[in-house]
Structure formats: structure tokens, C-alpha cells
Amino acid sequence: MNKAAAMLLGAATWMGVAQAQELPAPAPAPAPVSDAAKAQEERIRKLEEEVQALKAQGATKPEPVQLGGAGGAAAKALNPDISLNGDFLGAMGRNEVRPVPGLEMHEAELGIQSVIDPYSRGDVFLSFSDGGVSVEEAFVTLTALPGEFVAKIGKMRADFGKVNTTHNHALAWTDRPLVTENLMGGEDGIDDMGISVSRILPAPGDLFLEATGQVFRGESEGLFKASRKNDLSYVGHLRGYEDLTENTNLELGYSYAQGHNELGHDFLTKLSGVDFSLRWKPLRRSIYNSLLWRSEFIWSRRDQLLGPQRAFGWYSSLDYRMDQRWTVGARFDWSERATASNQLDRGASALLTYWMSEFSQVRGQYRFTRYDGRQDASELRLQLIFVMGAHGAHPF
């Protein structure tokens, strides 16, 4: 090897040593992961997944529970609405034809109402009075029938006119009109075991039209009497409702009823009636001002031993709510008697009602009646009404 080659070899050797000194030392090999560490990592991963799932559920709104249109009642886990209505009466004056006690618990009505399932609801009303306890109404309403029909099965007030369907505590007066006493069998009217089927009918414009057909057992005290099992009574009702203006609406109705009377299977009593209600209530002003004018006209044809007996009667009432507390009203009565010829009763009433709240009211009614054109009765009747619990709305 010559001198130049030796010098080149030495330089190369010196540069390699220098580069080797500048390179970092290799990292040590990682230690193997133990099985216990792997299991711990897997548990942490699963916990993180569960936390994310819970957060996602909390962000999603739960679906509202609905039970056949029960609305807020669904949250009560099917507990029924229970209410108690009190109706206490006092009377001063003289009435020798139809006297009433000076003080009486006219009625305490216990109401139990609830949705049964998505297809039906139940209503039970028990009446407590000085005369004892009775079932005023107890029926099941089937709301999901084919063809948009609605059916009721049980004991119920017949859908005849307006007064017959109204419970005592919901009346605008302390009593019922003379036409109810003379032609409809008294305070209970047509109230019997039966089946009712109704349907909303197609109608032009904004007209609401409803037809109802009912079949009853044929037992309504003072009006219908079933001598045989097939002596049924029948009721039909057609009503129409329409808004005339934003503040005014009109309701018209026609009713028909037929059943056997106490003289036997071959003797029928037939009733027909027309009712109208005109309501005014300004929606954009005071919420308490309102006016209701209501009238009913009833014709009776009753088979008797000497031939059919015909009678006619009507009432007309006007009620004006002045403000939150006070309501004034008047009613006129005119009615013949169903079982006697040429006997006519007439009367007039003036009323004043003080609303302590929407759940209690005090009413005074002065009533003058002339029975059969000869016997006069002049009375001042006082009434206290209160409502406890959740009581469903009455028919409008």
C-alpha cells in the first residue's frame, strides 16, 4: 500500500468513528403487556360506552302517554276523577199544590268518571237525598266504533231537549220548568236503562249536525211503564249548531220519544219537542259577560181509556252574567197537563245568582205560579251549590 492510499484509509476510518458517536443509542424494546393490564383497559372502554349511551337517552324526550284521548288523565295511572256536588234548598212562602220543605238537602251527587281503555270511558253518578240513594246515571261510552259512531250502554238521561239531560246542580234555576213537571214525568224525566247510538252527520259550511237514537227498557216514573219485557221506549234527537258571529252561536234541536204508559201494553205516550239556545259571549273583552236565551216547546199525546189526551207546554228563559260574581235571570212557564183536559198552569220567575267562585254559588229565585187558572203560589227559594273534586263538563 502506498502512502496516499494509507492516508485515505485513515481518513475514512476517522469519519466513521465520528458518525457513530453522533447517532443516538437505540431505544430499549418495550416490556410485554400483562394480561391484567389488558383486562383493565377493556373494562374502561366498556364503561365509556355505557356513559355515552346514558347521555344519548337523556337527550331524547320521552313520548307522551295517551290512553284513548285521556290527555293529562293518563299521568294518574287510570285513577278515576271523583267529585261531589252539593245542592241545598230553602223555601219561604205558600204553595198548596206542590209544596216543598222549608229546608232540604235537595241532592248530593257523587260522580266517578274515568277513561277505561283506548276504546271506552265510564261515568257513574250516585244521587243522595232525603229520600235515599239512587243511581242517577251509570254508563259506558264506546268511542272507537266503526263508521265514526259513538255508543252508550247503561242507565242514562235520555237525549230529549235540554232540561232532561241536565243534572240538578247544573241548572240555571232552583227548580225545573212546569212543562217538565206536567209532561215529562217530573224531575227525573226520561232516565232509564238503555242503549244510545249517535253520529256526527255531514253538513254544509260550518254547521255542526248530530243525530242520536236511543232504546230504553221502558221504565220512567210518571211517564213510561213497561207491562211486558218488550214494552220498550224510544228516543230520537237531532241537533244543529252554528256560529253566527265570533261572539254569537245558535243551537236548534228536535226530539221525539215514545213508550207505553201505566194503563197497559196497548196504551202509548208520545212526546215531541223543539228547543233552541242563543248564546252571546264576547271573546275579546270581558271573559265573564255572557247572555243565554233558551226555550223549549213540548207536545204530548197520551192514550187513555176515553181516547187520546193531547197537551202542550213551553218555557223560555234569559240569563245575563254581568261580571265575575253576579248573574240575573228570568223564566216564563206555560203548560197544560198531560192527564187532564183544559187544565193550564202558568208561572214566572226572577233569579239572582252570586258566584263565590267557579266552584260555589248562591242563588235566589222568586217564583209565582197560577195552577189551573185558580190557585196562586208565591215562593222565595234559596239555593247553595258547591263542587268538590274533578267534575267533567256537562253537555254544552
Side-chain angles (χ1 to χ4, degrees):
M1 180 181 300
N2 55 23
K3 185 177 180 179
M7 292 177 65
L8 291 172
L9 179 61
T13 303
W14 179 83
M15 293 175 63
V17 172
Q19 289 177 356
Q21 291 177 352
E22 293 176 358
L23 292 174
V33 180
S34 65
D35 293 340
K38 290 182 179 179
Q40 185 70 18
E41 291 177 357
E42 182 66 19
R43 285 196 293 270
I44 293 174
R45 184 183 64 81
K46 290 183 177 180
L47 287 172
E48 290 177 348
E49 291 178 353
E50 292 177 3
V51 170
Q52 294 298 327
L54 290 173
K55 289 182 177 179
Q57 291 179 4
T60 304
K61 293 183 179 181
E63 301 242 349
V65 178
Q66 294 185 355
L67 298 175
K76 299 184 301 180
L78 298 179
N79 288 334
D81 293 330
I82 300 177
S83 63
L84 179 66
N85 298 281
D87 177 8
F88 298 96
L89 282 177
M92 296 179 289
R94 180 173 58 88
N95 189 332
E96 298 179 356
V97 179
R98 292 174 181 167
V100 294
L103 291 172
E104 65 173 323
M105 184 185 75
H106 189 205
E107 184 180 58
E109 180 188 277
L110 178 65
I112 305 172
Q113 301 172 274
S114 176
V115 170
I116 299 173
D117 53 36
Y119 316 102
S120 60
R121 63 168 289 116
D123 296 86
V124 177
F125 300 99
L126 304 178
S127 176
F128 300 82
S129 66
D130 293 340
V133 182
S134 63
V135 179
E136 184 169 4
E137 291 190 282
F139 56 87
V140 173
T141 304
L142 306 178
T143 59
L145 296 178
E148 300 181 351
F149 286 94
V150 175
K152 294 180 182 180
I153 302 173
K155 188 175 188 289
M156 69 196 86
R157 285 183 169 272
D159 198 3
F160 188 101
K162 303 301 292 186
V163 171
N164 190 80
T165 62
T166 307
H167 292 193
N168 288 330
H169 66 87
L171 291 170
W173 326 291
T174 67
D175 61 348
R176 292 181 183 263
L178 287 174
V179 66
T180 300
E181 298 285 343
N182 291 352
L183 304 185
M184 293 290 295
E187 184 174 287
D188 291 334
I190 307 175
D191 184 8
D192 197 5
M193 286 288 301
I195 300 174
S196 172
V197 178
S198 61
R199 190 184 190 280
I200 297 175
L201 303 179
D206 295 329
L207 177 64
F208 173 85
L209 198 61
E210 182 186 45
T212 301
Q214 299 175 311
V215 180
F216 293 101
R217 178 180 52 182
E219 294 282 348
S220 293
E221 186 176 356
L223 185 62
F224 298 139
K225 177 68 176 178
S227 302
R228 305 176 184 178
K229 185 176 294 187
N230 61 347
D231 285 353
L232 305 176
S233 59
Y234 306 91
V235 175
H237 184 68
L238 178 67
R239 72 183 182 107
Y241 170 94
E242 186 170 15
D243 290 324
L244 303 180
T245 67
E246 182 185 65
N247 303 324
T248 309
N249 58 72
L250 176 66
E251 180 180 347
L252 297 174
Y254 172 76
S255 306
Y256 177 81
Q258 174 181 307
H260 301 266
N261 59 45
E262 75 279 1
L263 296 179
H265 173 75
D266 297 326
F267 296 85
L268 297 176
T269 295
K270 300 178 182 179
L271 299 171
S272 57
V274 175
D275 63 88
F276 81 85
S277 301
L278 181 67
R279 305 176 183 87
W280 171 80
K281 185 175 180 64
L283 300 179
R284 300 188 180 184
R285 289 184 289 172
S286 174
I287 62 174
Y288 291 104
N289 284 136
S290 63
L291 181 71
L292 173 60
W293 178 25
R294 172 169 288 165
S295 298
E296 286 192 62
F297 305 87
I298 298 176
W299 292 262
S300 170
R301 183 188 184 279
R302 178 184 173 86
D303 290 341
Q304 299 193 121
L305 295 174
L306 300 179
Q309 174 68 41
R310 291 178 171 84
F312 170 68
W314 61 274
Y315 77 87
S316 184
S317 69
L318 187 67
D319 297 284
Y320 175 60
R321 187 159 184 175
M322 298 181 291
D323 53 30
Q324 182 178 359
R325 301 296 182 187
W326 296 98
T327 299
V328 295
R331 193 188 75 212
F332 299 92
D333 295 301
W334 192 101
S335 178
E336 298 173 323
R337 299 188 187 182
T339 57
S341 300
N342 302 320
Q343 289 191 354
L344 174 64
D345 301 331
R346 291 177 292 178
S349 296
L351 299 104
L352 181 64
T353 302
Y354 176 73
W355 296 78
M356 293 181 283
S357 71
E358 294 300 318
F359 305 97
S360 60
Q361 54 188 286
V362 177
R363 177 176 292 125
Q365 177 178 355
Y366 173 74
R367 184 178 70 175
F368 175 82
T369 309
R370 177 162 291 174
Y371 294 101
D372 193 23
R374 293 176 296 178
Q375 294 178 283
D376 292 345
S378 180
E379 300 169 279
L380 177 62
R381 296 165 63 92
L382 301 175
Q383 182 181 45
L384 170 64
I385 295 176
F386 65 87
V387 179
M388 300 167 55
H391 188 75
H394 289 279
F396 180 60

